[in-house]
Each structure stands twice: as C-alpha cells, then as structure tokens.
C-alpha cells in the first residue's frame, strides 16, 4: 500500500472528488490496479460490491489516461462518471444516500472545473463601462442588492430617473423552472425576439411556433383538446407554421427586427421566409446555391451546387440575411432579391454565423468545425479574399457564435468544452493563422455527438487571443448554443449557455459561475413558479440536454429548450428570479404599483416626510425649504 502511495498521491478536495496526481511517477510506472481498487473501496465503504465493477473500470480507464498523457501538460480538470458525482454545490442534494438513486456507468470523461476566483481580465471588463453601468456592478460585488432600497433611492431623488440596469442588472434567474410546453419533436432553436414580445421555436418535425409573451399564461389544456400540430403548452401560442420539409431538421430560425417575418434553414441550400401574422402562411424560398437562372430543384435541393445551411440571421434593418453552410457564408439582399455575397470562408462546415454589430452590417463573423472564427469586412472583400482577422483559441469545432451587437465583443461555444469571449480588436492576422492552420491541436478522432470528452492534449490553441474563457458546461450531443445576457437590463455582463448535462450555466464576466439551473429539478406544468421547489430525485442517465436558452430583455426570466428521454421529444421551461411572481410577474409592474400606492397615500392626506420632500423638489427645482417636521427630525 505504501508503494502505491509513493507513486500516486491521492487526495480528497473540498468537492469530494477523487484526483490522481501522477507528478510522482512516470509513464513507465505500472502500479498495482488491485491496490488502487482497494483504495477506492476503502474510501467508499458504504457502497456494496455491485459497484466494484464500475470502480474497476473507472480505475483502469483513469490509469490508462494518466499513463498516456503528456506529463508536462498541465490541466485543470477531473475524471468523472456520467452522473458527474453530483458533488458540486449547485447540485442542491439532487441524490439521496439511497443507492437506488445512483446511476452507475462504465463510461468516463474529462471535464474542466469552473473558476471560483474572479479573473483579472474579466474584472477589468466589468469596470470598463463597455458592459453597462459600472455603479450597480460595484455595489453588487459588495453584496448590496436590496431592490427596494435601490428603487426608493431613485424615486425620491430630486430628479427621479430609474434605469433598468439599476434594479435589474444584478437580478439573475435562479429557479430550476416550470415546464411551459411539451413537444413531440426535438427543438433546435428557442429564442425571444429582440424586444421580448415574441418567443419562437423550430423543431425537427419542420414546425415553427410563435408565442405572444405579452399575454398572460393560460391554464393547461387537456392533451385530447390539443391539435396535432400544436404543443401542449401554457404559453399563448399566436402562430403555427408548417415549414417546408428538408433534410433531417430545421437547423436555425430567426425573427425579423419588426417581428413580421421569420426565416428558417435546413440542411439544404434554400432557406424560407414567411409571415408571422397568419397561420401556415406562404413560404418564400431564399436560394443560396449557384443554380443559373434561379431554377429551384425542389425541397431536397439536389441540383448542382447544393449544400446544407446550419445558420441564418436577419440584419438589423431586416433587409439582408446572412447564412452559413458547407465552408461558405452568404449574404442575401431581400430588396434586390439576389445573393450579394459569397465567401469561401472555411475548410469545414460553418456551424454558425452572425453580424458583428447592429448598425452598419458590414462586419460578418463565421464559426466553423475547423475550430476557427473568422471576421470579414464587406468593404474590403473586393480587394482581398482573406478575412480581416482570425479569432484563434478553440481546439475543437465551434458550435455557436453570438454577438453583443456593439461591433466589438462576441462569444462562442466550442466542442473543447469551453466558451470563449472575444474582442474583435485583438484578433490574429491572416498570416499568423496560416502558419498554424495545418497543425491539429484537438483530440484525435473525438466525436462530440457521444457523451464523453477524452482528456485533451491542449487547454487552448498556442495562439489563443480570446479575452476570457468560461468552463464547467458540457458541449456534447448537439450544437449547444451560448449568448450574452440582455444589454437593456444587465449591460451584457453575464454569459450563459445550455449544456448536455441538463443544466443551464450562467457566468459573470469575471469568469466565475454565478448560477446553475438544473433541468432535472424542473417542476411539471401547472405548478406555481413562486412555490417551494422540490427535488424530483433525478436519475442522471435520463437527464435532459439543454440545446438553447434565451433571457428576456424585459424581465429576469430565462426560457430553456431541452431534449428529453434519449433525444425523443422536448420541453420548454420558464426559469425566473424567485421574487418575480410576488411582483405581478414584472419588475416594471412592481415599480408602477409602488408609484400608485404612494399617490393614493398622498391624496388621502397621510403624506410621509419623504413624499413631501419629493413634491417640493418637483414643484421648485433646486429649492429646499425646511419645515417644522424637518426641524424636529434634526
């Protein structure tokens, strides 16, 4: 036993995870596997012998990985089983000591441990003023988050002015949620509109649904009363659209800025646009292929130049559409009714693309399975086919890219289990990219579609130019998406993402994980969201995979779309800040109610000293007259 401990230093950290430190040994050492198993069994005496098979597999896999690893490569992570040991503080006692609740598996994987210490680069971003008002953030870091105090201070000031950020910037959705819709097919896109007055989804059955989020929730209908093309939902469904069938699924959908139109893509070279003002409207094809004369080859698009589209986005003015597919990105001019830009951008699939800003529409961003993001300026494409710059840092393919909208910052999710924040002013040149483009820094033969991530050789590309890196989530099974929190209410100071482990992760700009919402604890439909949350005793191998998440720009509410039960069917869940339901479901409503109550008290002749001061200041700006009550108070 002592010999084995001389080779492997086994320690228990605060999260009760088993770590193996090969720092004392070399790749040629061959420790006794049985002795290692004895150590594991001694550490877990409460577990019966039926778990020894899993422990043996875990130990053997960990040993093989350690012996094959580069001893000079430092990694921050741990080996975990599929149930992730349920050991973090965010689990909230999801599993009891009852052995029936444990899920044992022979598969092992590697995960990064999220940061618990603010990073200097992230703190600098928070204080820069580029992510909203600095004052509320500094106060929040001092744990000054009293909503009533904030509102009272602003409402009683000489010139009352309440910014959304003052009362909403530090209110993060913190409930595990309530189911608001059940789908028979997998949802691929689930997003609020820009003004959060609409919510829309697209699913694998080629149906799109648009919800009016300004209407109050509805009581759940009996499944017998629900139409075959309608989800079982408590949300106010305003439009049902049957899309044109294509390959596999609708890969992406996007609302126009005025919410009048929606565009969607499939794994074909033709996207479709239709109205959101009527059910099953006419479908307008938007062809991105090179077919001469505008000939359309049908829904399979099997003609010359056919390819699949994985991403599509309206421009800020709604007159153009950017789309990405097999190595290319395109721009379609809706006013001219023709494709205006075609760029051979990458050597692999373009999984996502976006506009870098919400004003000019000149800067395009593409994200590919080749692990690179490229930035393109339409004003210089005629003189050079090369990108304006390349964002290097991911070691595996990129699943999604989202822009803050200011032309500077974007965020991307990677199959290397990392989300990265980028500043377009700090991108690499095309020359730097070309010198390393043919070198592989990812895990050989890694397939993200399966729930296991091997130990990586590199934490990041050697030319990493990202501003910040965020870890802790699982980017597996599907192209999981990530986003900035709303600029209107939070200044974009949070980043959030779905995860293959059934959770929603919310990070602060400084790199720390501030909230984890667990979909295995989401309550069933018709449960009061303001009530007490309870554990459903989840079984981890049946956990959800959260593909897309959206944060309302009006309220501290997130809606998540999760694939359920082995990729068959999906659910939407509403996650809110736990105090929201007690304020008529809207911070704005709560503020207005407070104003009305103050007005009623004043009219009844029972004005408080603060209200009297406020009235005086409003009647005589700049003047302050002390009355008898004030003398007594002093």
């Amino acid at each position: 036993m002592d010999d084995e401990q001389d080779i492997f230093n086994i320690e228990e950290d605060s999260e009760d995870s088993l770590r193996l430190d090969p720092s004392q040994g070399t790749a040629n050492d061959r420790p006794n596997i049985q002795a290692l198993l004895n150590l594991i069994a001694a550490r877990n005496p409460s577990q019966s012998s039926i778990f020894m098979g899993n422990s043996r597999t875990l130990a053997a896999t960990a040993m093989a990985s350690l012996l094959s690893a580069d001893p000079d490569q430092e990694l921050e992570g741990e080996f975990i089983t599929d149930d992730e040991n349920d050991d973090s503080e965010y689990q909230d006692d999801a599993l009891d000591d009852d052995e029936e609740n444990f899920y044992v598996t022979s598969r092992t994987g590697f995960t990064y441990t999220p940061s618990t210490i603010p990073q200097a680069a992230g703190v600098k971003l928070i204080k820069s003023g580029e992510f909203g008002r600095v004052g509320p953030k500094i106060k929040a870091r001092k744990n000054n988050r009293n909503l009533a105090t904030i509102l009272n201070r602003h409402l009683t000031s000489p010139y009352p002015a309440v910014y959304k950020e003052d009362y909403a910037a530090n209110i993060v959705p913190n409930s595990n949620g309530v189911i608001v819709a059940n789908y028979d097919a997998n949802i691929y896109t689930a997003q609020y509109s820009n003004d959060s007055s609409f919510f829309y989804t697209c699913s694998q059955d080629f149906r799109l649904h648009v919800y009016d989020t300004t209407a109050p929730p509805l009581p759940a209908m009996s499944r017998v009363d629900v139409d075959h093309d309608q989800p079982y939902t408590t949300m106010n469904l305003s439009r049902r659209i049957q899309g044109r069938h294509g390959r596999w699924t609708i890969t992406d959908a996007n609302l126009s800025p005025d919410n009048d139109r929606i565009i969607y893509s499939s794994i074909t070279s033709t996207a479709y646009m239709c109205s959101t003002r009527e059910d099953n409207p006419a479908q307008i094809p938007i062809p991105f292929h090179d077919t001469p004369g505008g000939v359309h080859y049908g829904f399979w698009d099997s003609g010359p130049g056919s390819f699949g589209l994985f991403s599509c986005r309206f421009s800020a003015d709604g007159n153009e559409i950017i789309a990405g597919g097999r190595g290319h990105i395109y721009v379609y001019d809706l006013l001219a009714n023709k494709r205006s830009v075609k760029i051979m951008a990458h050597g692999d699939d373009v999984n996502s693309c976006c506009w870098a800003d919400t004003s000019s529409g000149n800067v395009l961003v593409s994200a590919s399975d080749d692990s690179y993001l490229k930035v393109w300026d339409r004003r210089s494409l005629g003189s050079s086919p090369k990108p304006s710059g390349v964002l290097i840092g991911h070691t595996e393919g990129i699943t999604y890219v989202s822009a803050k909208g200011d032309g500077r910052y974007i965020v991307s999710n990677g199959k290397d289990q990392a989300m990265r924040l980028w500043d377009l002013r700090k991108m690499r040149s095309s020359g730097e990219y070309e010198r390393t483009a043919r070198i592989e820094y990812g895990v050989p033969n890694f397939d993200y579609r399966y729930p296991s991530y091997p130990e990586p050789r590199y934490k990041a590309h050697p030319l990493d130019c990202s501003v910040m890196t965020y870890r802790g989530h699982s980017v597996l099974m599907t192209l999981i998406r990530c986003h900035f929190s709303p600029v209107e209410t939070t200044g974009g100071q949070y980043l959030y993402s779905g995860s293959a482990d059934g959770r929603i992760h919310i990070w602060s700009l400084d790199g720390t994980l501030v909230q984890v919402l667990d979909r295995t604890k989401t309550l069933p439909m018709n449960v009061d969201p303001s009530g007490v949350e309870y554990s459903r005793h989840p079984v981890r191998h049946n956990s959800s995979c959260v593909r897309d998440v959206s944060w309302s720009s009006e309220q501290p509410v997130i809606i998540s779309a999760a694939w359920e039960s082995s990729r068959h069917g999906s659910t939407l869940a509403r996650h809110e800040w736990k105090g929201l339901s007690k304020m008529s479901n809207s911070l704005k409503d709560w503020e207005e109610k407070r104003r009305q109550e103050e007005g009623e008290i004043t009219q009844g002749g029972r004005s408080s000293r603060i209200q009297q001061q406020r009235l005086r200041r409003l009647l005589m700006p700049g003047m302050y007259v002390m009355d008898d009550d004030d003398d007594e108070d002093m």
Side-chain angles (χ1 to χ4, degrees):
M1 183 68 72
D2 293 337
D3 293 338
E4 277 71 34
Q5 287 187 332
D6 288 338
I7 296 174
F8 286 90
N9 181 21
I10 302 180
E11 59 179 308
E12 296 181 15
D13 60 9
S14 59
E15 294 183 348
D16 196 32
S17 61
L18 179 62
R19 297 176 182 267
L20 305 178
D21 183 6
S23 61
Q24 303 296 326
T26 66
N28 295 324
D29 291 325
R30 294 294 184 267
N32 189 308
I33 296 295
Q34 185 59 49
L36 184 58
L37 288 174
N38 292 337
L39 285 174
I40 296 174
R43 182 178 176 273
N44 298 282
S46 62
Q47 296 186 5
S48 63
S49 59
I50 63 172
F51 296 103
M52 185 54 69
N54 178 65
S55 298
R56 187 181 299 275
T57 305
L58 171 62
T61 306
M63 183 70 68
S65 300
L66 285 169
L67 294 177
S68 61
D70 181 0
D72 295 328
Q73 183 69 28
E74 295 183 0
L75 294 171
E76 296 176 1
E78 59 187 18
F79 287 98
I80 59 169
T81 57
D82 280 8
D83 65 8
E84 298 191 358
N85 291 327
D86 289 310
D87 54 0
S88 78
E89 61 182 333
Y90 306 107
Q91 299 296 328
D92 292 331
D93 299 323
L95 298 178
D96 296 335
D97 293 334
D98 185 358
E99 292 179 355
E100 292 180 358
N101 290 326
F102 282 88
Y103 171 60
V104 180
T105 176
S106 61
R107 289 195 301 264
T108 61
F110 182 87
T111 185
Y112 288 102
T113 303
S115 175
T116 57
I117 301 174
Q119 306 299 304
V123 174
K124 183 178 179 181
L125 287 173
I126 291 176
K127 296 181 178 180
S128 68
E130 295 180 327
F131 288 84
R133 292 161 56 82
V134 178
K137 297 180 177 64
I138 294 177
K139 293 174 183 176
R141 298 178 76 85
K142 297 179 181 178
N143 293 320
N144 183 8
R145 301 193 182 195
N146 191 312
L147 180 61
T149 301
I150 295 172
L151 285 174
N152 183 68
R153 182 185 306 118
H154 286 276
L155 293 174
T156 57
S157 63
Y159 301 97
V162 179
Y163 297 92
K164 282 185 179 180
E165 280 190 67
D166 288 335
Y167 60 80
N170 301 300
I171 299 178
V172 177
N174 56 5
S175 68
N176 292 314
V178 173
I179 299 294
V180 293
N182 284 286
Y183 284 66
D184 292 331
N186 287 336
I187 299 172
Y188 276 75
T189 297
Q191 284 292 301
Y192 277 103
S193 61
N194 291 335
D195 60 1
S196 294
S197 63
F198 281 80
F199 188 85
Y200 62 96
T201 65
C202 68
S203 51
Q204 197 169 3
D205 56 4
F206 290 89
R207 290 192 175 104
L208 301 97
H209 296 90
V210 181
Y211 300 90
D212 181 1
T213 55
T214 62
L218 303 172
M221 299 172 60
S222 169
R223 285 187 178 272
V224 178
D225 300 327
V226 177
D227 295 339
H228 71 282
D229 61 344
Q230 177 179 338
Y232 179 52
T233 180
T234 56
M235 298 177 69
N236 196 297
L237 182 62
S238 59
R239 292 290 175 263
R240 294 172 290 183
I241 302 171
Q242 176 60 62
R244 290 287 186 91
H245 283 274
R247 288 191 178 101
W248 184 246
T249 183
I250 294 180
T251 54
D252 198 10
N254 189 237
L255 273 177
S256 62
D258 58 6
N259 299 330
D260 285 342
R261 295 163 292 156
I262 192 169
I263 185 171
Y264 62 93
S265 60
S266 179
I267 310 181
T268 68
S269 54
T270 299
Y272 290 90
M273 183 176 64
C274 60
S275 171
T276 60
R277 300 301 179 185
E278 54 183 313
D279 285 335
N280 296 320
Q283 311 284 310
I284 302 172
I286 309 294
F288 287 92
H289 46 248
D290 297 323
T291 304
V295 178
H296 181 54
Y297 286 88
F299 71 86
W300 284 109
D301 283 337
S302 55
S306 177
F307 51 87
L309 296 175
F310 294 97
S311 180
C312 58
R313 289 287 180 275
F314 276 103
S315 60
D317 59 9
N319 294 329
E320 293 181 300
I321 295 170
I322 183 175
R326 189 173 58 195
H328 290 76
I329 56 172
Y330 308 88
V331 175
Y332 195 93
D333 189 331
L334 295 174
L335 298 180
N337 196 26
K338 67 176 183 179
R339 193 185 69 194
S340 57
V341 174
K342 175 185 177 182
I343 303 172
M344 179 60 192
H346 297 269
D348 210 329
D349 287 337
V350 175
N351 291 327
S352 183
C353 57
C354 67
W355 309 89
D357 59 81
T358 57
S359 55
S360 68
N362 289 321
V363 181
L364 318 175
V365 181
S366 58
S368 171
D369 264 335
D370 63 9
S371 79
Y372 299 106
L373 296 102
K374 294 185 179 180
V375 183
W376 311 85
D377 193 329
R378 298 166 67 181
R379 294 165 293 189
S380 62
L381 288 177
S383 59
S384 172
K386 295 184 178 181
S388 299
V390 183
L391 299 172
I392 303 175
H394 286 292
T395 58
E396 304 287 351
I398 301 168
T399 64
Y400 196 74
V401 60
S402 180
K404 183 171 177 284
D406 57 1
R408 292 184 177 182
Y409 294 99
I410 63 173
V411 64
S412 63
N413 244 358
K415 299 174 185 177
D416 55 359
Q417 315 304 299
M419 181 173 65
R420 298 184 186 274
L421 177 67
W422 311 87
D423 185 340
L424 299 187
R425 298 166 294 184
K426 299 180 180 180
M427 54 192 178
R428 298 287 185 178
S429 67
S430 295
E432 291 176 298
Y433 157 73
E434 290 169 356
R435 285 194 291 271
T436 61
R438 296 184 179 181
I439 304 176
E440 296 290 340
Y441 293 98
V443 177
N445 303 317
F446 166 59
D447 192 334
Y448 79 104
R449 294 173 296 178
Y450 300 97
S452 177
Y453 180 60
E455 180 183 2
R457 297 180 298 168
Y458 302 91
K459 290 177 60 178
H461 193 288
L463 295 180
D464 182 15
C465 62
S466 61
V467 178
M468 286 288 296
T469 302
Y470 306 87
R471 305 186 187 275
H473 61 319
S474 177
V475 187
L476 299 167
M477 294 181 64
T478 183
L479 302 178
I480 290 175
R481 302 183 166 200
C482 60
H483 307 278
F484 287 93
S485 63
V487 173
E488 297 86 347
T489 53
T490 69
Q493 66 170 309
Y494 301 106
L495 304 168
Y496 62 104
S497 171
S499 179
D501 62 6
R503 298 180 177 93
I504 299 140
H505 295 69
I506 305 174
W507 294 266
S508 168
L509 273 175
D510 62 19
T512 56
L513 195 59
V514 298
Q515 196 65 248
V516 175
L517 312 178
D518 194 343
R519 281 297 306 266
T520 64
K521 298 179 183 178
T522 297
L523 302 178
M525 197 177 295
N526 274 343
V527 173
D528 181 6
S530 63
V532 177
E533 292 188 288
Y534 60 87
S535 172
R536 299 170 62 190
H537 301 292
V539 182
R540 277 293 167 197
H541 67 291
N542 286 331
S543 64
S544 308
C545 172
V546 182
R547 175 178 166 92
D548 202 4
V549 193
S550 187
W551 190 326
S552 170
S553 61
E554 294 295 322
Q555 305 177 57
V557 170
I558 279 177
I559 295 182
S560 63
W563 295 4
E564 305 285 357
S565 62
S566 301
R567 305 188 185 188
H568 297 292
S570 301
T571 57
L572 293 179
R574 173 187 168 97
H575 312 262
E576 61 182 39
W577 176 57
K578 290 180 180 177
L580 183 62
S581 294
K582 299 178 182 179
M583 297 189 299
S584 301
N585 292 321
S586 171
L587 290 176
K588 189 180 296 183
D589 293 343
W590 187 82
E591 177 192 345
E592 181 61 28
K593 181 180 178 182
R594 181 186 179 90
R595 289 175 182 268
Q596 292 176 357
E597 289 176 350
E598 290 179 350
E600 291 174 359
I601 293 175
T602 302
Q603 293 175 3
R606 293 182 290 110
S607 303
S608 67
R609 183 178 64 87
I610 294 178
Q611 291 162 348
Q612 291 174 356
Q613 291 178 4
R614 180 182 171 197
L615 289 174
R616 284 198 301 269
R617 291 165 180 167
L618 292 176
L619 291 173
M620 303 180 65
M623 298 292 291
Y624 183 80
V625 180
M626 186 177 297
D627 58 12
D628 295 338
D629 292 338
D630 292 330
D631 286 330
E632 293 176 0
D633 292 337
M634 294 180 67

